[in-house]
């Protein structure tokens, strides 16, 4: 067996492992004998059929055309079956050790690709009624609040989970730089029915970080200050503000994250340290 440790990156088409198989050696010998027999009885249809049948057995065993040609060229049996990665990924789990006997159907290793990640969310039935297959929702990963992702719902469980009043939805997000690892927590923002007399802002007006959520409010000419807020329901475009703002506040809608970054760069601290919701 080719030794591979967990965590090793493997490219598409690269060898993953090889297995010793006495059955493969027997099939190779059968094929070589069929070819030799055909040479003695050239033109015999039955002999040609025997060669074709022996070759097909090797192909069904996973032998490539180049491997079969190499067998004929060298006339040497190679009882090792090499398995190649069908896609690029990371060896996430090894179920065997080198030299171990394996039975047919037993797992050997698990290869995982992290270019796309599943996102699963538990929702209550009254929330699930507002969503449907193929719908796009916003996903915010803990620690990367300034990088919201768009997810298309690809699966909705048809029944509630045992012992709970929850159902589950699932979709996937792109992870081309592999900056996110499986197991991270994320929030999925579902659409909601519109409400009257509720204060809403564009989602880009609300700055999210590990310490909370805030907006930037105009306080005098060309002067802005951070204001802690609490949010309610949210969709791809708007977010409800439940606390932190009052009538007449002028909120920065475009460029809130720029103000946030400039403040940290100049002051060297988070702008909402020590603030409380008013």
């Amino acid at each position: 067996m080719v030794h591979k440790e967990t965590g090793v990156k493997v490219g598409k088409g690269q060898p993953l492992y090889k297995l010793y198989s006495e059955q493969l050696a027997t099939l190779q010998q059968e094929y070589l004998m069929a070819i030799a027999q055909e040479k003695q009885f050239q033109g015999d249809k039955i002999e040609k059929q025997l060669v074709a049948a022996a070759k097909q057995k090797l192909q069904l065993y996973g032998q490539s055309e180049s491997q079969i040609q190499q067998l004929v060229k060298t006339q040497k049996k190679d009882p090792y079956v090499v398995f190649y990665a069908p896609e690029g990924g990371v060896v996430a789990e090894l179920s065997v050790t080198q030299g171990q006997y394996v039975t047919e159907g037993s797992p050997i290793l698990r290869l995982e690709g992290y270019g796309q990640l599943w996102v699963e969310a538990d929702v209550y039935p009254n929330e699930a009624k507002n969503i449907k297959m193929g719908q796009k929702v916003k996903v915010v990963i803990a620690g990367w609040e300034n990088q919201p992702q768009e997810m298309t719902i690809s699966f909705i469980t048809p029944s509630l989970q045992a012992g709970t009043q929850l159902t589950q939805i699932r979709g996937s997000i792109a992870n081309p730089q592999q900056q996110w690892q499986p197991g991270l927590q994320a929030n999925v923002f579902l659409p909601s029915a519109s409400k009257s007399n509720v204060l809403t802002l564009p989602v880009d007006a609300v700055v999210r970080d590990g310490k909370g959520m805030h907006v930037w409010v105009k306080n005098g000419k060309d002067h802005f200050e951070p204001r802690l807020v609490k949010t309610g329901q949210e969709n791809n475009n708007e977010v409800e503000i439940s606390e932190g703002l009052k009538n007449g506040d002028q909120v920065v809608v475009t460029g809130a994250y720029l103000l946030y970054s400039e403040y940290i760069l100049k002051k060297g601290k988070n702008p909402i340290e020590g603030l409380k919701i008013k």
Side-chain angles (χ1 to χ4, degrees), residues 149-260:
Q149 302 295 305
E150 187 177 72
M151 179 183 83
T152 300
I153 297 174
S154 60
F155 179 74
I156 304 173
T157 54
S159 60
L160 298 180
Q161 300 176 30
T164 73
Q165 288 296 308
L166 297 170
T167 188
Q168 192 175 78
I169 63 173
R170 186 172 68 213
S172 62
I173 59 173
N175 187 28
Q177 305 301 323
Q178 299 192 14
Q179 62 179 332
W180 300 312
Q181 296 79 37
L184 285 171
Q185 291 187 338
N187 291 317
V188 177
F189 294 90
L190 303 178
S192 61
S194 60
K195 300 179 182 179
S196 59
N197 63 18
V198 174
L199 176 61
T200 61
L201 289 174
V203 291
D204 290 341
V206 180
V207 179
R208 311 164 193 266
D209 61 21
K211 294 185 178 296
M213 292 175 285
H214 70 276
V215 298
W216 288 85
V217 178
K218 188 173 183 180
N219 182 18
K221 184 178 180 181
D222 299 328
H223 185 265
F224 305 91
E225 65 176 13
R227 183 84 59 81
L228 276 175
V229 295
K230 283 187 178 181
T231 61
Q233 297 185 354
E234 180 175 344
N235 59 31
N236 286 338
N237 301 311
E238 295 184 330
V239 55
E240 293 179 358
I241 305 298
S242 58
E243 292 184 44
L245 291 177
K246 61 182 184 295
N247 188 31
D249 285 336
Q250 297 183 44
V251 179
V252 175
V253 173
T254 303
Y257 274 99
L258 180 60
L259 290 172
Y260 169 72

Side-chain angles (χ1 to χ4, degrees), residues 13 19 22 29 51 55 111 124-126 145 211 215 235 240 247 266 273:
L19 297 177
E22 293 182 2
Q29 182 63 37
V51 170
K55 181 177 181 180
L111 184 68
Y124 289 100
N126 65 322
E145 288 81 1
K211 294 185 178 296
V215 298
N235 59 31
E240 293 179 358
N247 188 31
K266 293 179 179 178
E273 287 184 6

